[in-house]
Amino acid sequence: MSAARERLPALLRSRFGNLTVLVFLVGLAIIAAYLQPGTFVVPDPGTDRWLLAFSSVGIYTAACAMLSRMQSTPSRAAGETQSDLRPDESDDSVLVAYATQSGYTRQLAEKTVESLRAGGLSVELSALSELHADQLQKTMRVLFLVSTTGEGDAPDMAAGFVDTVMRSTRKFEHLNYAILALGDSEYVNYCGFGHAIEAWLQRAGAQRLFDMIEVDDADDGALRRWQYHLGQLSGCSDLADWQEPRYSRWKLCERRLVNPGSAGDPCFHLALAPFDSDSLSWNAGDVVEVGPQNAAANVEAWLSRYQLDGNSLITLRRKSWSLREIASRSSLDLDVAGLDAQRVADALVRLPHRDYSIASIPADGKLELLLRQWRRADGSVGIGTGWLTEFASIGGEIRARVRSNAGFHAPEQNVPILLIGNGTGIASLRALLKQRIAAGRFRNWLIFGERNSDRDFHYGDEIRGWKSSGAIERLDLAFSRDQHERVYVQDRLDSAAMIVRDWVAQGAVIYVCGNLKGMAPGVDSTLRRILGDEQVRSLTTAGRYRRDVY
């Protein structure tokens, strides 16, 4: 909304006031004339006085017109021009805004700032009470960390922001945002203020950097997911965890390359078996957090470089460890020359965890994963995928823990579901299909895409079997390099627009899993073209449009 339109109510009030005064003066003149005794005679003032009167009226009218024009022009601070209100698209800075009732959310906002700055970004921290619309107008990226009080209310400090910014109809199409919403699931309007922020931003035309993360009563798993996205945003994926997960012990019992000869990076199917059978408990859509380790050869080379004895015993967190054990689980990008074993251990930073979608259900008796091996610019493998696909030995121990991802669970009702994904995103979708099929629910539609059908159709035999048996009602595939013209999942979705509308009308829930930067925006744009922005917003609010993108 333009600044002139924002000032329209004030302008109308001003004109109404002037009109009221004019009517009042005319009324006084009529009353005075009525009370005048005898015949009321208007004497001729003479030519000079008539000219003076007309000149005064002209000057007054011109002055009123000038003032009116000034009121209708957006006011600006001294030296500020209209271009000052436009964001600099080359600016890669981030604004971190928070609203807290008890102070905890501010602490998380400060940690967020530290993590982003560690990745080399320019970051500004602001309380929501100090954030104004013009500041948002000049910002490209904003992270909102907000708590909810009572039954879905905003913290007291955010009241002014709600009244002056969120209740306006100003647009922020340029804005890219993400939300960390804190709440307590025992309340009906869980994370209500976070959802209110999301709804306002969507109405204003802003774009999500990634999906809103809900934190139930300070859940550390949700906070680690937030940290993962901070690493992606800053380009620094090796940021240390704010709090280390409490891992369980699992055994790597299976690993195989599933796409030999692919034009893409190698993908591996892995299976983990728990040492404790009680760990075989999760829902389709959940994720597993893995504690990676360095390759044994890399640890020995590092110890040798600094002439350290890996068998030296040190004390850390009131437990006794060998220096080799600590080094295997820590970042080795640290110069520790001249330090003794204990000081080395104190200085080392633990490797951050890695999240992976679970591709199986507990009834399978094992936790299955589908990972694409990731490599750095120098050719070395990434921390997590390198550990699982190259360094960990078959039969060796893996530290891992299952984390609930309630926003991607299957619907409790027997309604249709539309599953859309590409690449290793098929992992979560496969688990959802397994759970649905086991429950006898066959109204399943899968749209899947990869490079080539003969090398990259992950779990292809299984999926074709489900389609043949009727366990999948509809299957659409998009192998982009099987033909001259590239075809992607959003293209398959677009070509089935009428069927999409029909399934949504029947109560279908839409799931999207895969690449955040490529596939997910394309699918979102296509859904909005098919269904309209308002219906997509309604589906999101109702939990019928769910995404697990990375």
Side-chain angles (χ1 to χ4, degrees):
M1 181 176 71
S2 69
R5 288 184 60 190
E6 283 184 299
R7 291 169 172 77
L8 187 58
L11 187 60
L12 290 175
R13 287 195 299 271
S14 174
R15 290 179 176 174
F16 178 76
N18 290 337
L19 180 62
T20 301
V21 171
L22 179 61
V23 171
F24 177 73
L25 292 175
V26 171
L28 285 179
I30 293 173
I31 294 173
Y34 179 78
L35 295 176
Q36 177 71 29
T39 303
F40 183 73
V41 180
V42 180
D44 184 0
T47 303
D48 292 341
R49 290 186 177 180
W50 277 115
L51 289 174
L52 180 62
F54 279 118
S55 299
S56 299
V57 171
I59 293 172
Y60 176 75
T61 302
C64 288
M66 182 179 297
L67 288 173
S68 177
R69 185 173 182 179
M70 289 175 63
Q71 281 185 318
S72 64
T73 301
S75 63
R76 303 184 181 95
E80 186 180 71
T81 65
Q82 184 63 33
S83 61
D84 292 327
L85 297 180
R86 297 172 185 165
D88 180 359
E89 295 185 4
S90 64
D91 185 4
D92 64 350
S93 62
V94 180
L95 173 64
V96 175
Y98 68 90
T100 183
Q101 192 72 19
S102 64
Y104 177 60
T105 307
R106 174 176 181 135
Q107 295 175 18
L108 296 180
E110 290 171 343
K111 289 183 177 181
T112 295
V113 170
E114 292 173 6
S115 294
L116 293 174
R117 285 177 177 165
L121 293 180
S122 173
V123 190
E124 181 181 355
L125 179 66
S126 173
L128 227 58
S129 57
E130 301 171 352
L131 187 59
H132 303 288
D134 283 351
Q135 188 175 359
L136 287 175
Q137 197 69 57
K138 295 183 287 185
T139 303
M140 289 293 293
R141 295 185 293 182
V142 183
L143 304 183
F144 292 93
L145 294 86
V146 296
S147 61
T148 295
T149 64
E151 289 294 345
D153 299 326
D156 295 340
M157 67 176 296
F161 182 82
V162 172
D163 288 339
T164 60
V165 181
M166 291 177 61
R167 288 179 181 166
S168 77
T169 56
R170 194 163 181 171
K171 294 294 184 181
F172 298 100
E173 289 97 341
H174 68 283
L175 196 63
N176 297 280
Y177 72 90
I179 301 172
L180 182 72
L182 288 82
D184 188 334
S185 59
E186 292 186 1
Y187 288 89
V188 175
N189 294 318
Y190 170 52
C191 292
F193 185 50
H195 286 284
I197 291 272
E198 171 97 307
W200 158 64
L201 288 166
Q202 286 289 302
R203 289 194 303 270
Q207 304 298 316
R208 286 179 291 191
L209 288 165
F210 50 87
D211 291 349
M212 182 171 66
I213 296 176
E214 298 176 339
V215 183
D216 185 7
D217 196 21
D219 173 54
D220 56 350
L223 293 177
R224 282 192 295 278
R225 187 179 175 198
W226 176 256
Q227 288 177 257
Y228 164 79
H229 283 291
L230 296 182
Q232 297 294 107
L233 186 62
S234 67
C236 182
S237 60
D238 295 346
L239 296 172
D241 288 330
W242 295 345
Q243 183 175 347
E244 185 182 6
R246 296 179 180 178
Y247 296 117
S248 300
R249 298 171 62 229
W250 296 72
K251 181 174 68 174
L252 179 58
C253 57
E254 186 180 345
R255 178 171 61 208
R256 70 174 185 272
L257 178 66
V258 297
N259 64 339
S262 173
D265 293 323
C267 289
F268 291 83
H269 170 86
L270 301 99
L272 307 179
F275 283 87
D276 181 358
S277 60
D278 290 342
S279 296
L280 276 174
S281 176
W282 65 84
N283 286 303
D286 285 345
V287 300
V288 63
E289 298 176 344
V290 173
Q293 294 183 206
N294 296 304
N298 292 344
V299 174
E300 295 306 319
W302 181 81
L303 291 170
S304 177
R305 183 186 314 139
Y306 294 107
Q307 299 181 344
L308 295 167
D309 181 1
N311 295 321
S312 299
L313 294 180
I314 55 91
T315 300
L316 202 63
R317 292 186 289 276
R318 294 181 295 181
K319 290 185 179 181
S320 182
W321 310 80
S322 73
L323 182 57
R324 181 177 287 105
E325 287 178 295
I326 296 300
S328 70
R329 302 175 182 181
S330 303
S331 172
L332 302 181
D333 297 329
L334 184 67
D335 186 346
V336 295
L339 301 182
D340 60 35
Q342 183 63 56
R343 292 172 65 193
V344 168
D346 292 339
L348 289 174
V349 177
R350 287 293 183 95
L351 290 172
H353 80 285
R354 288 294 182 261
D355 289 351
Y356 302 108
S357 299
I358 301 174
S360 58
I361 58 177
D364 294 326
K366 52 189 175 181
L367 189 153
E368 296 179 333
L369 304 173
L370 181 67
L371 309 183
R372 189 183 303 277
Q373 198 175 70
W374 179 78
R375 291 186 177 272
R376 302 183 181 92
D378 62 4
S380 61
V381 291
I383 292 175
T385 59
W387 167 240
L388 291 172
T389 65
E390 283 199 10
F391 304 142
S393 58
I394 299 297
E397 182 177 323
I398 303 294
R399 296 178 307 137
R401 83 159 203 169
V402 171
R403 189 188 78 224
S404 175
N405 186 21
F408 212 66
H409 287 173
E412 295 181 1
Q413 301 80 12
N414 187 11
V415 294
I417 64 171
L418 168 55
L419 307 168
I420 308 168
N422 71 334
T424 57
I426 192 62
S428 274
L429 306 185
R430 177 189 187 231
L432 289 167
L433 284 168
K434 277 176 167 281
Q435 182 173 309
R436 292 265 299 180
I437 292 167
R441 297 179 174 179
F442 303 142
R443 293 225 60 200
N444 308 309
W445 178 3
L446 174 64
I447 304 178
F448 172 69
E450 249 285 10
R451 289 176 174 83
N452 298 103
S453 58
D454 60 341
R455 281 154 283 177
D456 304 303
F457 192 2
H458 313 308
Y459 306 116
D461 292 341
E462 185 177 49
I463 291 171
R464 288 192 182 99
W466 285 335
K467 178 64 174 69
S468 297
S469 67
I472 293 180
E473 183 172 319
R474 183 181 174 101
L475 175 63
D476 289 281
L477 303 172
F479 293 104
S480 60
R481 303 192 182 188
D482 276 359
Q483 59 281 311
H484 178 71
E485 183 179 352
R486 297 292 172 87
V487 177
Y488 301 101
V489 291
Q490 55 265 38
D491 299 316
R492 298 300 189 208
L493 183 69
D494 196 34
S495 64
M498 292 183 63
I499 304 174
V500 171
R501 296 188 193 99
D502 185 48
W503 276 53
V504 169
Q506 296 175 47
V509 180
I510 302 171
Y511 293 81
V512 180
C513 189
N515 193 301
L516 172 64
K517 295 183 179 179
M519 180 273 302
V523 168
D524 187 76
S525 176
T526 302
L527 284 173
R528 292 177 184 278
R529 186 165 58 253
I530 294 172
L531 302 172
D533 288 343
E534 187 58 40
Q535 187 165 17
V536 170
R537 281 196 293 269
S538 297
L539 291 173
T540 302
T541 302
R544 292 178 54 198
Y545 178 25
R546 309 180 182 189
R547 307 198 313 170
D548 185 9
V549 294
Y550 43 85

